[in-house]
């Protein structure tokens, strides 16, 4: 069953995201990198890269850099799978803001369970469905034209919810309440995102540049924790991955695919004004 909402776009922030992603059809970074294995990502990465690629010359260097970028982006999904723990094949996962489908497909590959992606971009959903067909898992990995703040799924439908660098397009309080509603009691929600380190600067200039580039809104770190608790989602693991998020941007700054947004990320992370975090939370067992 595919769920569709006729009014998936409701706010100015959502409209900006829809216009940006639904019309981003010749995106070299995601399309070029993903074409190697059919896993198309809309997130960045953590961990170091193979430094020997920078010693190469010419086309060989560029090709090696891009292969390494894609390897890192694919490996980044492990940041989610590791936090989810042992997921049985009978489980059901929601991927909020599923993009062209890379995360959802890799989650299914890792656990063999049902994965539902929700996304307001009709173009990206169509693209992701084609990839599910190509990976021969369209019966188990489905993509829905709906808003992650109002999914339309019944209460307690999911064992797990994940968002992979997508919460900068949502109202955290509203959307986390929706995630709590569709999670079973004791179900887990894991998010990976960048955020403002408001202990140092609640409005860092690097985040402003990032928001302008990606038509998004970078939230404060404390906002995530408060919104989770308000929704009845109790954080049990909070990881600061800022330092391991730096090498990806260092490598990307050497690629012909660089867009100029590399410097704000590097400056933000190195100054600790912008952080890259993972939060794992669990829905409280009582009624919410």
């Amino acid at each position: 069953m595919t769920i569709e909402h006729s009014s998936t776009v409701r706010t100015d922030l959502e409209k900006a995201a829809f216009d940006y992603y639904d019309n981003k059809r010749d995106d070299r970074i995601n399309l070029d990198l993903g074409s190697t294995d059919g896993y198309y990502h809309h997130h960045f990465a953590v961990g170091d890269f193979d430094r020997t690629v920078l010693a190469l010359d010419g086309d060989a260097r560029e090709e090696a850099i891009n292969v390494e970028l894609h390897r890192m982006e694919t490996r980044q999904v492990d940041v989610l799978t590791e936090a989810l723990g042992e997921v049985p094949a009978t489980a059901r996962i929601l991927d909020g803001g599923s993009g062209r489908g890379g995360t959802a497909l890799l989650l299914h590959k890792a656990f063999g369970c049902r994965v539902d992606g929700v996304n307001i971009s009709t173009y990206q959903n169509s693209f992701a469905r084609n990839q599910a067909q190509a990976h021969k898992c369209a019966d188990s990995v489905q993509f829905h034209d709906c808003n992650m703040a109002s999914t339309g799924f019944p209460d307690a439908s999911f064992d797990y919810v994940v968002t992979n660098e997508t919460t900068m397009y949502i109202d955290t309080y509203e959307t986390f309440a929706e995630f709590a509603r569709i999670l079973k009691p004791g179900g887990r929600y894991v998010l990976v995102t960048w955020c403002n380190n408001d202990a140092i600067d609640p409005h860092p200039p690097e985040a402003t540049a990032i928001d302008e580039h990606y038509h998004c809104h970078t939230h404060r770190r404390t906002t995530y924790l408060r919104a989770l608790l308000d929704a009845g989602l109790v954080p049990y693991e909070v990881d600061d991955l800022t330092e391991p998020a730096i090498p990806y941007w260092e490598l990307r700054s050497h690629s012909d695919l660089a867009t100029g947004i590399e410097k704000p990320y590097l400056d933000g992370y190195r100054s600790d004004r912008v952080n890259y975090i993972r939060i794992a939370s669990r829905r409280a067992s009582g009624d919410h």
Side-chain angles (χ1 to χ4, degrees):
M1 177 185 68
T2 299
I3 290 183
E4 295 185 5
H5 280 185
S6 59
S7 57
T8 59
V9 179
R10 308 161 308 149
T11 67
D12 289 343
L13 183 60
E14 291 170 358
K15 184 179 186 304
F18 177 87
D19 290 343
Y20 180 67
Y21 286 104
D22 212 60
N23 293 306
K24 197 176 182 184
R25 305 190 182 195
D26 58 351
D27 174 22
R28 285 190 62 212
I29 290 181
N30 297 309
L31 292 177
D32 284 10
L33 299 185
S35 63
T36 59
D37 59 5
Y39 292 106
Y40 293 84
H41 304 305
H42 285 274
H43 58 257
F44 309 126
V46 295
D48 206 357
F49 61 89
D50 180 357
R51 302 278 165 165
T52 64
V53 302
L54 298 181
L56 301 174
D57 296 316
D59 292 342
R61 183 177 190 268
E62 184 62 24
E63 181 179 356
I65 288 173
N66 292 342
V67 168
E68 190 67 355
L69 286 171
H70 184 64
R71 182 197 64 78
M72 295 172 75
E73 291 177 0
T74 299
R75 174 65 178 82
Q76 185 266 4
V77 180
D78 291 349
V79 174
L80 291 171
T81 59
E82 291 163 0
L84 291 174
E86 295 293 329
V87 176
T90 55
R92 190 177 184 187
I93 301 175
L94 180 88
D95 178 13
S98 46
R100 286 192 174 95
T103 294
L105 291 167
L106 287 169
L107 289 170
H108 172 71
K109 182 180 180 181
F111 302 122
C113 65
R114 169 73 181 267
V115 183
D116 292 272
V118 294
N119 192 359
I120 61 176
S121 171
T122 52
Y123 157 68
Q124 287 189 337
N125 279 334
S126 177
F127 188 101
R129 292 181 191 116
N130 288 336
Q131 295 312 305
Q133 291 282 356
H135 287 279
K136 304 185 186 307
C137 59
D139 290 341
S140 300
V141 184
Q142 298 185 355
F143 299 93
H144 309 272
D145 297 329
C146 62
N147 193 306
M148 62 176 134
S150 179
T151 65
F153 288 106
D155 293 355
S157 297
F158 292 90
D159 302 281
Y160 304 91
V161 173
V162 301
T163 52
N164 195 357
E165 298 182 16
T166 59
T167 48
M168 62 291 302
Y169 291 106
I170 64 170
D171 178 301
T172 54
Y173 291 89
E174 176 189 31
T175 306
F176 292 174
E178 173 70 354
F179 291 167
R181 182 188 70 79
I182 63 175
L183 273 172
K184 298 175 183 177
R188 299 182 185 187
Y189 167 44
V190 178
L191 69 89
V192 179
T193 188
W194 68 85
C195 63
N196 296 333
N197 181 3
D198 43 335
I200 294 179
D201 188 344
H203 302 290
E206 297 86 0
T208 299
I210 291 167
D211 290 347
E212 290 175 352
H213 184 86
Y214 286 114
H215 304 271
C216 64
H217 175 74
T218 300
H219 298 292
R220 301 180 186 185
R221 187 170 61 191
T222 53
T223 298
Y224 282 105
L225 297 170
R226 289 169 181 160
L228 288 168
L229 289 169
D230 278 5
L233 296 168
V234 181
Y236 61 88
E237 183 178 345
V238 180
D239 299 299
D240 186 336
L241 303 177
T242 306
E243 284 296 322
I246 291 173
Y248 171 84
W249 293 103
E250 291 177 332
L251 179 60
R252 193 167 130 170
S253 67
H254 291 282
S255 171
D256 285 349
L257 298 176
T259 63
I261 197 59
E262 293 77 18
K263 188 176 187 300
Y265 277 104
L266 286 169
D267 290 347
Y269 289 161
R270 287 169 174 164
S271 67
D272 203 31
R273 287 189 292 264
V274 179
N275 289 164
Y276 192 80
I277 59 172
R278 173 179 64 186
I279 303 177
S281 60
R282 183 179 288 109
R283 182 191 161 185
S285 297
D287 293 337
H288 178 70

